[in-house]
Amino acid sequence: MSAVAIIDQEVTDQTKECCGSPEPLFRRVSERNDPEVLTDIYRNDTNIAIWKRDVSAELIAAVDDFINTNEMKRTMLAITAKNAHEELRKAIGTEKNIAPLVEDMAQLIDMFCCLFDLKRAGVRLTSMDQAMCPRFHVDKIPCRLVSTYQGIATDWLPNHLVDRTKLGAGSEGKPDDISGLFHDLSDIQCLNRGDVALLKGEFWEGNEGAGLIHRSPPLPAGEHRLLLTLDFIDL
């Protein structure tokens, strides 16, 4: 059985009709200062699992050196847990000063592949000076890992606080903050630099209509963001 087919039977979701439109499916956040929290993504009632972690001074220095010596770009790779170090060094450099960044990325790739029993992971390391996906949206994927090494981290919305009919074309061209997608700016939750989060998408079995709604946050002028994302390739 594939990873996405393992469904926690403790919680059963039902879509109820209210005033002619379905109530949002109940979904919760699971967050702790422990990487074991990432296994909570298998709970049927959870669409985001967050490992709250501090970024070491050594890793911060490595990230700064990497950004200062590389032009804005996106690196896309297909990597196995076994060849992660080798492929990352080929892609982003073998300099000793960025070794902590390579080591951290390789560790996250290993964890991701192990958690979902993947042969390979799709790896993107994106350096940017503007928001990549500035509108709130859902991903039509099973699950994605995100971690921001520098800059403002990903924004997301709790499922019970949104009107999903206002996503995409349903916004009628209005900005998210006035379209009716959510009620108040205080509804917006934000990851922190260094957090490792699993975002459950629309293609996770049993999660249709409850994929995590999220966006790239707006970046202040002159600031840079370095974002790592991991996706499923081979099950």
Side-chain angles (χ1 to χ4, degrees):
M1 181 180 294
S2 69
V4 295
I6 300 175
I7 302 300
D8 184 344
Q9 296 299 324
E10 294 180 2
V11 180
T12 300
D13 290 310
Q14 293 182 343
T15 301
K16 300 178 182 179
E17 294 295 328
C18 177
C19 302
S21 61
E23 292 182 356
L25 297 173
F26 173 74
R27 291 293 185 271
R28 68 183 182 92
V29 56
S30 185
E31 55 184 330
R32 295 195 301 276
N33 298 320
D34 179 350
E36 287 294 321
V37 71
L38 298 179
T39 64
D40 286 358
I41 201 66
Y42 280 107
R43 290 184 56 91
N44 205 34
D45 65 343
T46 300
N47 68 356
I48 179 171
I50 306 170
W51 171 21
K52 310 290 290 185
R53 64 171 189 162
D54 295 324
V55 181
S56 69
E58 184 181 39
L59 181 54
I60 289 174
V63 169
D64 288 343
D65 285 343
F66 175 78
I67 290 176
N68 291 335
T69 57
N70 287 271
E71 296 180 357
M72 294 293 156
K73 64 178 182 178
R74 179 185 300 183
T75 300
M76 304 179 67
L77 304 165
I79 294 181
T80 69
K82 290 183 179 180
N83 71 7
H85 286 89
E86 178 184 357
E87 293 300 318
L88 289 172
R89 284 194 292 265
K90 288 180 183 177
I92 69 175
T94 59
E95 296 85 353
K96 185 177 180 180
N97 58 336
I98 64 170
L101 175 59
V102 171
E103 181 63 34
D104 193 76
M105 290 175 61
Q107 180 188 38
L108 294 181
I109 292 167
D110 181 68
M111 294 171 63
F112 188 72
C113 289
C114 181
L115 180 61
F116 296 114
D117 194 23
L118 301 173
K119 297 176 183 177
R120 297 185 299 166
V123 180
R124 287 186 298 173
L125 184 64
T126 307
S127 181
M128 66 195 91
D129 58 5
Q130 58 184 343
M132 186 167 57
C133 300
R135 295 296 300 265
F136 278 109
H137 64 282
V138 295
D139 294 327
K140 295 186 181 301
I141 57 171
C143 191
R144 172 172 291 155
L145 181 148
V146 301
S147 188
T148 300
Y149 284 114
Q150 179 163 295
I152 303 172
T154 303
D155 289 338
W156 61 278
L157 291 167
N159 206 53
H160 65 285
L161 296 180
V162 298
D163 179 352
R164 300 175 74 91
T165 67
K166 303 300 183 181
L167 287 170
S171 70
E172 298 179 343
K174 299 175 184 176
D176 289 332
D177 58 345
I178 63 172
S179 69
L181 175 64
F182 55 90
H183 297 290
D184 192 271
L185 290 175
S186 63
D187 295 339
I188 301 174
Q189 308 298 303
C190 185
L191 299 175
N192 295 318
R193 177 182 185 178
D195 288 350
V196 178
L198 293 175
L199 316 185
K200 191 179 286 183
E202 288 288 304
F203 286 176
W204 182 288
E205 186 175 335
N207 199 54
E208 299 84 358
L212 186 81
I213 297 174
H214 62 285
R215 71 175 180 185
S216 298
L219 281 174
E223 286 201 14
H224 295 94
R225 186 176 185 224
L226 186 65
L227 174 69
L228 172 70
T229 63
L230 303 181
D231 286 296
F232 289 22
I233 294 182
D234 301 317
L235 295 178

